Amino acid sequence: QVQLVESGGGSVQSGGSLRLSCVVSGLPTTGNCVAWFRQPPGKPREVVASVDSFIVYYADSVKGRFTISQGNVENTMSLQMDSLKPEATAMYYCAARTGVCFRERNEYSSWGQGTQVTVSS
């Protein structure tokens, strides 16, 4: 089955940067979607960025500051987070599915374990 492992989380001051990585295994070679979600404590999980064969999507809250891209390793997807704000504090998850991306978390059955990001003022 599909497996995803996130890494790169940590604590950073407001305005700083972090780069998250998601190592993916078990997906077909084509027609895939990889997405990044985040879930602040006590709040719903929401998509922040995703990429499939047709479109790269960013939530309005992160547009211009976050960048999703393939990492140095072929099966690695990265999320570069710049100009971080305290409201970005959350558990960040990598998710994947076959076919196109969706913004609803219930469309994804494969999830990583999460990596914590904390942004202080």
Side-chain angles (χ1 to χ4, degrees):
Q1 63 180 20
V2 178
Q3 293 184 331
L4 307 97
V5 180
E6 306 97 332
S7 63
S11 298
V12 65
Q13 290 186 333
S14 180
S17 298
L18 286 173
R19 186 176 180 87
L20 307 183
S21 296
C22 175
V23 179
V24 184
S25 63
L27 278 178
T29 56
T30 59
N32 302 315
C33 163
V34 178
W36 284 97
F37 286 75
R38 67 184 179 188
Q39 186 169 22
K43 296 183 178 181
R45 192 173 300 184
E46 63 180 4
V47 66
V48 296
S50 65
V51 59
D52 59 27
S53 299
F54 301 100
I55 191 171
V56 179
Y57 166 81
Y58 297 99
D60 289 341
S61 59
V62 306
K63 191 172 298 182
R65 300 184 296 110
F66 287 18
T67 304
I68 188 171
S69 63
Q70 183 174 312
N72 294 331
V73 182
E74 291 182 357
N75 65 337
T76 301
M77 190 67 65
S78 297
L79 183 68
Q80 178 68 40
M81 305 184 296
D82 297 320
S83 301
L84 283 165
K85 303 175 181 179
E87 50 262 45
T89 296
M91 185 72 75
Y92 283 71
Y93 298 90
C94 184
R97 67 185 310 278
T98 57
V100 298
C101 291
F102 292 87
R103 300 172 193 176
E104 297 81 10
R105 64 179 179 87
N106 290 336
E107 294 287 348
Y108 299 83
S109 59
S110 300
W111 294 86
Q113 82 287 350
T115 184
Q116 178 68 40
V117 172
T118 302
V119 184
S120 60
S121 299

